[in-house]
Amino acid sequence: QVQLVESGGGLVQAGGSLRLSCAASGRTFSVYAMGWFRQAPGKEREFVAALSGSGGSTVYADSVKGRFTISRDNAKNTVYLQMNSLKPEDTAVYSCAAKGGSMSTLHRRYAYWGQGTQVTVSS
């Protein structure tokens, strides 16, 4: 069982930056692949980024590649999403998720979810 709590969302102007954090409970954090997903009002949940348990492998959605960076600190049981050059279309509720085994871009493969944190980018 893993419990996830996100933080770091907020309101930022276009071109600005935010860093999201996702703190996980449990002593076996490093066995879980982690992902970030987002959902804007009226839209489907969208994959953003994921990384392996060791942090050695990452994958990004094309829409955020080169602007967002996912990372993790297994000693702190925390995964991060550094978001730079933010655009109004990045506005959404961002959620982190955990799964056993390899990382995935599919939200249905993730067993554990946080409550989400709102990111709003003004133009």
Side-chain angles (χ1 to χ4, degrees):
Q1 189 79 10
V2 178
Q3 293 184 323
L4 304 172
V5 179
E6 301 97 335
S7 61
L11 174 64
V12 63
Q13 289 188 333
S17 298
L18 281 175
R19 188 176 82 155
L20 305 183
S21 298
C22 173
S25 65
R27 294 176 292 177
T28 57
F29 178 64
S30 62
V31 306
Y32 293 99
M34 299 297 295
W36 284 98
F37 294 81
R38 66 187 182 186
Q39 189 166 20
K43 294 189 175 181
E44 297 286 322
R45 181 177 288 171
E46 177 187 22
F47 168 74
V48 176
L51 83 170
S52 60
S54 67
S57 297
T58 57
V59 60
Y60 295 91
D62 287 344
S63 58
V64 307
K65 201 172 294 183
R67 300 188 297 123
F68 290 11
T69 302
I70 189 171
S71 63
R72 66 192 297 160
D73 184 339
N74 285 341
K76 295 182 178 180
N77 280 15
T78 302
V79 63
Y80 305 97
L81 185 68
Q82 177 67 43
M83 305 185 295
N84 299 328
S85 303
L86 282 161
K87 305 175 181 179
E89 51 264 43
D90 294 319
T91 295
V93 174
Y94 285 70
S95 299
C96 66
K99 68 178 295 294
S102 58
M103 58 183 180
S104 174
T105 63
L106 302 176
H107 65 83
R108 63 179 180 272
R109 298 285 176 87
Y110 288 80
Y112 306 103
W113 290 83
Q115 82 288 351
T117 186
Q118 176 71 46
V119 171
T120 303
V121 184
S122 63
S123 57

